[in-house]
Amino acid sequence: MSYLLVCTPEEKYVKYKEKCVPYFSTLHETESELQIFCGELHKVEKKLTNEKWELNNNKLLIDESFSIIKICKNKNKIYFATSKSGLEPILYYYKNNTFLLSDNFWEIVNFLEPKEEDIDKDAVIENLNLPYPLFYNTFIKDVNYLPPGYFGEFAIINNELKLKKYFNFKYSPKVSIDMQVATENVDKILNELMKDIKEECGDVQYAVGLSGGLDSRVIPYYAQKNGLNIQSFIFGAKRPHSLFLSRDHKNARELSKIFCIKHSEIEWNKKTLQKRIDLELKNFPLGVPQFFKFEFYDDYDVLLTGGSGMIIGGHSIPENIESITSNELVYHMWGLARTFYPNSLFNQRVQRAFKYLFNKDIKIESNEEWFELICNKEIYSKINQKFVQYIEKRKKANKSNLDIFEEYFNNILGARNRYGGFESGLGTKRSFSIYVPRMLHETLCWRADLLQGRPVLKNLILKYIPSTADIKAQNYEGALNKKDNIVFKIINMLIFIIRGNGTAMEQKYFKYCKNDFKTTMLNSCKWFNNILDLRNHINDIADFDNYRLILTLWKTKMVIDIIENKKYIAFIDKQRKINF
């Protein structure tokens, strides 16, 4: 936790505690101003401190991650802004002559002490269907995220709030940028970023989580090239099917040997589950469950990740995106990291395999009585309509389908993950993504064909890190330097199935936690059940083969229970209080 700003007719103050993970924060106070800065690099803090960004928002158009608040005492104004990426969050509340700002959901909840009628029921249901509530909402009414690239001004005297967008997310492809130029630009950006990280953090121990994917090849290479002392680790089950080493672990071992770095393999530990859950509920209450994606590992200082790496080309971008209809665009946006599929995990895997092997879509459906409770026609229609309105508003502003799709992906899905297990060890480690925000400016100048399927990143690896090109992809796809025909695709898939995925082990681990899940879902708390009563179906849900949904239900129920029982008090740190 870093800060809570409170402005009511009765009191005006900032509660503040300096922090250094996953980003640092500082507070500067003079007779006329008080400024709070959260970000990755101290040189960015110094730059913005010396700029009158509240008068000229163009000063905020820099390719760095930050959030900033300035209280101008003489003007009785509060100014605040998020960066283009929005990775450093600002949550705000504005109602009933009360204005709040914080980077911590629980701080605002603790001040408001919400009642049951303050719970946003639609947001809770949306959270069970999608990675997050739409679009910048939280579980509490009127508590919202400030979107990326936004500036706010609050007038203390007349209690007036103004918000405006200062950064327009829009692709403007340059003819001069082809595959070669794009690859060289990415290489330059990665080298510059590593130098800045080294300058910021010094000669500490850096680490990367290896899974065998593309980021696992890029991060060690550029870290070592720029003098960062890096080691690697992997979480998960070494041998998911007992006999063979998982594809992830095999790839990670091969990569660590290529780069000659220390490599650690951390198995999931049932004994630390409750500790991990408590940490996640405190630091990452409004995100996709990380219970089985993270384990405690402290043998390093700074984490380097590929967080939001899809901005330099995402597998998720639909083919021929500019020619699809608005309804088709809704379908694809809803499909991004969707939490609830009315389908089993096995059926989903069969569908993906068929698409990979034969490039054909097939439909296989499960049918469970309780599906209707989570996403019936009314719920589906309501969520669908919100997507339609989101798209129509942007099309009126001359946004293309690609603009709209990627803005949703980056500004809503990508911007919320700062405290994730993959991104920062659930907020326990100082961390940097090698992609966001610097790569965003670069990729907004690319043609669509340079985005689909991450071709630039693959070309970067083939050109600068060819020693890793023989290693197969993290999933069932083949090596980068080979074009697989149908026979090789089938062989690769069979090998992947035999070896198993060592880092996606919810199915294996959940059986040890099934009773814990049932206990939570059947406890005496009422608020969640008044929104969605699943108590008669808990045994069926616990046995259903869709663990992303089960874990999301579990986590959402725990968060609502904490609000109902006011147990969030335990999450509030002791802070310095400054009146203004």
Side-chain angles (χ1 to χ4, degrees):
M1 209 301 299
S2 171
Y3 64 86
L4 171 69
L5 183 150
V6 175
C7 189
T8 72
E10 295 76 29
E11 52 186 354
K12 297 169 183 61
Y13 63 84
V14 171
K15 289 170 59 182
Y16 172 80
K17 181 180 180 180
E18 188 172 296
K19 65 185 294 183
C20 59
V21 294
Y23 50 85
F24 74 87
S25 66
T26 60
L27 182 147
H28 294 290
E29 184 178 19
T30 66
E31 288 186 6
S32 60
E33 294 182 350
L34 188 152
Q35 178 176 286
I36 297 172
F37 177 91
C38 299
E40 293 182 337
L41 302 176
H42 281 84
K43 67 179 183 180
V44 177
E45 175 207 12
K46 293 176 182 177
K47 175 180 174 62
L48 288 178
T49 298
N50 295 325
E51 302 278 9
K52 292 293 184 180
W53 55 267
E54 70 275 15
L55 302 179
N56 181 0
N57 295 162
N58 288 333
K59 302 288 187 180
L60 298 167
L61 287 170
I62 56 178
D63 296 320
E64 304 290 353
S65 288
F66 65 87
S67 62
I68 191 165
I69 297 171
K70 182 181 287 187
I71 302 170
C72 293
K73 302 174 185 177
N74 295 339
K75 297 180 180 180
N76 282 305
K77 293 282 185 73
I78 300 171
Y79 304 100
F80 52 102
T82 50
S83 63
K84 293 179 183 180
S85 68
L87 284 181
E88 274 54 89
I90 292 180
L91 293 112
Y92 69 95
Y93 174 87
Y94 175 58
K95 188 178 181 181
N96 299 330
N97 293 321
T98 298
F99 178 65
L100 309 174
L101 291 175
S102 183
D103 63 348
N104 185 289
F105 174 70
W106 293 122
E107 280 290 335
I108 293 182
V109 170
N110 184 55
F111 181 88
L112 295 175
E113 296 185 345
K115 298 179 174 59
E116 184 174 4
E117 57 266 27
D118 297 317
I119 301 295
D120 189 331
K121 296 180 181 180
D122 286 345
V124 172
I125 294 296
E126 289 166 5
N127 190 71
L128 299 178
N129 283 275
L130 302 160
Y132 306 98
L134 295 173
F135 279 92
Y136 297 101
N137 296 343
T138 70
F139 293 158
I140 306 298
K141 294 175 183 177
D142 301 302
V143 177
N144 301 307
Y145 283 92
L146 185 68
Y150 260 69
F151 168 82
E153 177 183 328
F154 180 74
I156 298 174
I157 298 297
N158 57 10
N159 192 45
E160 182 182 8
L161 176 64
K162 296 179 182 178
L163 300 177
K164 75 171 184 177
K165 180 189 293 188
Y166 72 84
F167 169 62
N168 185 30
F169 190 106
K170 187 168 182 61
Y171 283 93
S172 301
K174 294 182 179 179
V175 178
S176 60
I177 299 182
D178 57 13
M179 176 65 75
Q180 179 180 344
V181 174
T183 302
E184 291 172 353
N185 289 350
V186 170
D187 173 67
K188 180 181 178 181
I189 291 170
L190 291 173
N191 279 310
E192 290 175 349
L193 175 62
M194 289 297 178
K195 288 182 173 66
D196 282 343
I197 293 173
K198 177 77 178 291
E199 179 184 344
E200 172 72 21
C201 300
D203 293 319
V204 298
Q205 182 63 64
Y206 299 88
V208 56
L210 292 187
S211 60
L214 301 183
D215 305 330
S216 298
R217 307 157 204 238
V218 172
I219 295 174
Y221 171 77
Y222 283 96
Q224 288 186 330
K225 184 180 177 183
N226 290 279
L228 280 70
N229 179 26
I230 193 164
Q231 63 185 36
S232 62
F233 61 86
I234 184 171
F235 297 137
K238 295 180 186 179
R239 303 181 190 278
H241 305 316
S242 300
L243 184 59
F244 295 102
L245 195 68
S246 80
R247 169 70 71 87
D248 315 74
H249 284 74
K250 181 176 182 296
N251 286 0
R253 288 183 182 184
E254 291 177 0
L255 288 168
S256 65
K257 287 180 181 178
I258 288 173
F259 294 112
C260 300
I261 56 178
K262 176 187 173 184
H263 181 63
S264 301
E265 296 174 345
I266 298 96
E267 293 272 356
W268 184 77
N269 186 352
K270 172 67 167 68
K271 294 180 180 179
T272 64
L273 176 62
Q274 191 57 54
K275 184 179 178 182
R276 278 181 280 127
I277 289 175
D278 291 343
L279 181 65
E280 179 166 347
L281 292 174
K282 177 182 179 180
N283 289 348
F284 194 52
L286 302 176
V288 178
Q290 310 281 300
F291 305 153
F292 303 132
K293 299 181 182 296
F294 166 78
E295 188 54 78
F296 292 102
Y297 177 63
D298 293 323
D299 195 24
Y300 68 96
D301 304 298
V302 176
L303 181 64
L304 305 181
T305 81
S308 298
M310 289 301 177
I311 66 165
I312 66 165
H315 292 287
S316 303
I317 298 175
E319 295 181 6
N320 304 314
I321 185 170
E322 295 302 356
S323 62
I324 64 177
T325 66
S326 292
N327 286 335
E328 290 171 329
L329 186 58
V330 170
Y331 170 80
H332 287 292
M333 289 171 66
W334 198 338
L336 283 171
R338 183 175 179 179
T339 303
F340 174 65
Y341 285 94
N343 219 337
S344 69
L345 183 61
F346 175 79
N347 287 349
Q348 293 176 50
R349 287 172 173 169
V350 171
Q351 290 174 159
R352 287 197 296 267
F354 206 86
K355 177 71 173 178
Y356 169 65
L357 293 174
F358 308 109
N359 197 29
K360 297 287 185 181
D361 293 313
I362 60 172
K363 192 172 184 179
I364 309 173
E365 292 185 348
S366 305
N367 186 20
E368 299 287 341
E369 180 182 350
W370 50 270
F371 283 178
E372 283 288 303
L373 298 173
I374 297 174
C375 191
N376 54 39
K377 290 182 179 179
E378 181 182 351
I379 293 170
Y380 179 90
S381 177
K382 189 178 290 188
I383 294 175
N384 193 76
Q385 186 58 34
K386 287 189 177 182
F387 272 116
V388 169
Q389 292 170 353
Y390 180 89
I391 290 170
E392 288 179 348
K393 180 180 179 180
R394 280 150 183 78
K395 285 199 169 183
K396 287 179 181 178
N398 296 318
K399 298 255 184 164
S400 68
N401 284 349
L402 180 61
D403 296 332
I404 297 167
F405 184 88
E406 288 291 89
E407 181 181 11
Y408 174 72
F409 188 96
N410 291 288
N411 285 11
I412 295 174
L413 302 187
R416 305 283 181 86
N417 293 333
R418 178 54 120 168
Y419 286 86
F422 171 72
E423 287 79 9
S424 63
L426 292 177
T428 62
K429 293 292 183 179
R430 190 164 186 189
S431 61
F432 297 84
S433 167
I434 63 170
Y435 298 123
V436 179
R438 297 189 182 189
M439 210 69 73
L440 178 58
H441 178 78
E442 167 65 23
T443 56
L444 288 176
C445 300
W446 290 0
R447 306 186 311 260
D449 62 290
L450 296 178
L451 295 166
Q452 177 64 49
R454 308 181 91 185
V456 176
L457 191 60
K458 292 175 182 177
N459 191 58
L460 179 89
I461 292 169
L462 290 171
K463 181 175 181 179
Y464 295 105
I465 327 172
S467 59
T468 68
D470 286 330
I471 298 175
K472 289 183 172 61
Q474 181 183 357
N475 55 17
Y476 40 73
E477 296 180 11
L480 289 180
N481 57 3
K482 296 179 182 177
K483 291 187 177 181
D484 296 339
N485 57 33
I486 185 64
V487 175
F488 281 104
K489 284 184 175 182
I490 292 173
I491 292 172
N492 283 332
M493 181 163 287
L494 288 174
I495 293 173
F496 176 75
I497 292 171
I498 291 171
R499 287 191 175 277
N501 186 334
T503 56
M505 294 302 297
E506 292 92 340
Q507 183 176 4
K508 179 176 181 178
Y509 297 147
F510 181 71
K511 65 182 180 182
Y512 299 108
C513 315
K514 189 178 291 188
N515 288 335
D516 297 327
F517 166 74
K518 291 180 181 180
T519 298
T520 298
M521 300 305 294
L522 295 172
N523 65 24
S524 61
C525 294
K526 299 177 180 179
W527 290 7
F528 181 87
N529 295 331
N530 291 340
I531 299 171
L532 182 65
D533 194 347
L534 298 170
R535 286 174 292 183
N536 292 333
H537 305 280
I538 291 304
N539 288 330
D540 293 335
I541 294 172
D543 292 334
F544 186 62
D545 180 23
N546 187 330
Y547 299 94
R548 175 181 285 183
L549 169 63
I550 293 171
L551 296 181
T552 301
L553 278 169
W554 191 7
K555 179 175 178 178
T556 304
K557 175 69 159 59
M558 286 190 284
V559 171
I560 300 301
D561 288 353
I562 288 170
I563 298 172
E564 179 179 352
N565 293 329
K566 297 187 177 182
K567 290 187 176 180
Y568 47 78
I569 295 173
F571 297 154
I572 305 303
D573 296 324
K574 187 176 181 180
Q575 301 153 286
R576 172 188 173 197
K577 185 175 179 179
I578 305 170
N579 294 310
F580 64 87

